[in-house]
Amino acid sequence: MTKENEVVEYYDSIAKEYDDSRFNNSYGQFIDFQERRTLDRLIPVDKSTQRLEMACGTGRLTNYATHGLDASAEMMSLARQRHPYVDFRQASATETGFADAMFDVVYSFHLLMHLDEETIQQIFDEAWRILKPGGRFIFDIPSKKRRNLLHHKQATWHGATALDRTDVERMANERFNLRSAHGVMMLPVHKLPRALRKPLQSADYLLANSWLKNYSSYIIFELQKR
């Protein structure tokens, strides 16, 4: 079984419980708040633009998209119920099947962290192919600087890959410009009392997007096709 097939099989198996287990709690809501606050800035919903969410999962963030793509049939079936007017396609993010230069924005959250750098490079290549000139590729990835600082290493493939700005620029390979970077979750939220998590959302967002952003838990990168 390939790594990609292993990931798809895993998400097929947890699809029905995914939202409740990951985001129906104060920790997941903390992450969701910060991701949406950044996406609200980066992806204005405009009827004149074509916007693809790669690895749309159950559709948590698909309200920013006109099109959704996921390799997991079980996850995507839930996204279809949530967003009946979005055009969904079951396919790999490395081979989407969409036409060249079709999209103004391609975005992907909680995907690249599970893949090796070779596969991530293939996704960069595919995003570049299906984006219009000047189109933007937006994605999140765990911060390598933070993990190195904390001497943290994942034991399995789940969330195992972390990158920093230098890695992203190398993988962009002169076909993308790095337009912006945004931090997500500076505080160790899992160690905070649950009662404090919601009141600290805005303060943490500001801290994660200060000069310390490279040491937040995740970085949202915005690349622009040259």
Side-chain angles (χ1 to χ4, degrees):
M1 179 183 294
T2 67
K3 177 62 65 62
E4 186 173 3
N5 288 340
E6 184 179 354
V7 173
V8 171
E9 186 176 276
Y10 171 77
Y11 279 103
D12 275 340
S13 70
I14 65 168
K16 292 180 181 178
E17 296 81 31
Y18 181 80
D19 286 334
D20 280 341
S21 64
R22 303 296 173 87
F23 295 100
N24 193 21
N25 54 67
S26 59
Y27 178 82
Q29 290 162 7
F30 196 100
I31 296 173
D32 183 77
F33 169 85
Q34 296 206 20
E35 291 174 344
R36 289 182 181 278
R37 190 163 179 176
T38 300
L39 287 174
D40 286 343
R41 294 172 58 191
L42 297 180
I43 312 180
V45 176
D46 182 344
K47 292 182 180 179
S48 68
T49 60
Q50 298 293 303
R51 305 174 303 277
L52 171 67
E53 182 180 19
M54 279 184 171
C56 63
T58 62
R60 178 177 65 91
L61 298 174
T62 311
N63 56 294
Y64 298 94
T66 57
H67 294 69
L69 178 139
D70 204 285
S72 166
E74 295 297 326
M75 296 286 274
M76 197 168 59
S77 69
L78 298 172
R80 281 195 173 103
Q81 294 173 34
R82 184 179 276 177
H83 302 283
Y85 300 108
V86 170
D87 185 352
F88 288 99
R89 174 176 297 190
Q90 184 183 353
S92 167
T94 62
E95 295 183 71
T96 64
F98 289 113
D100 292 355
M102 179 172 174
F103 294 103
D104 299 277
V105 176
V106 173
Y107 67 100
S108 184
F109 278 62
H110 300 253
L111 170 65
L112 303 189
M113 67 180 75
H114 303 316
L115 306 173
D116 57 44
E117 287 200 20
E118 181 180 353
T119 307
I120 294 172
Q121 184 66 68
Q122 292 172 7
I123 292 173
F124 272 47
D125 296 343
E126 182 69 352
W128 184 88
R129 184 186 69 79
I130 64 177
L131 278 168
K132 299 175 183 178
R136 293 174 297 130
F137 180 35
I138 299 163
F139 60 92
D140 74 327
I141 196 78
S143 167
K144 181 187 282 189
K145 287 184 180 294
R146 183 183 180 109
R147 288 194 172 179
N148 288 344
L149 181 68
L150 300 177
H151 304 290
H152 173 77
K153 187 174 182 180
Q154 292 291 99
T156 68
W157 60 262
H158 196 277
T161 298
L163 302 175
D164 60 20
R165 183 187 183 104
T166 301
D167 297 322
V168 170
E169 290 178 330
R170 168 176 51 80
M171 299 177 79
N173 196 27
E174 299 185 353
R175 293 182 300 171
F176 290 101
N177 292 317
L178 177 54
R179 185 170 178 178
S180 67
H182 309 264
V184 174
M185 202 165 64
M186 179 65 70
L187 300 174
V189 180
H190 59 292
K191 295 184 179 180
L192 295 177
R194 286 181 172 81
L196 292 179
R197 293 175 182 176
K198 188 170 183 178
L200 287 173
Q201 283 178 336
S202 292
D204 186 82
Y205 177 84
L206 293 174
L207 188 61
N209 285 282
S210 70
W211 60 275
L212 292 169
K213 72 174 65 173
N214 291 323
Y215 293 94
S216 56
S217 295
Y218 301 89
I219 308 290
I220 298 172
F221 288 102
E222 179 191 20
L223 304 181
Q224 186 167 38
K225 180 176 177 176
R226 293 184 177 182

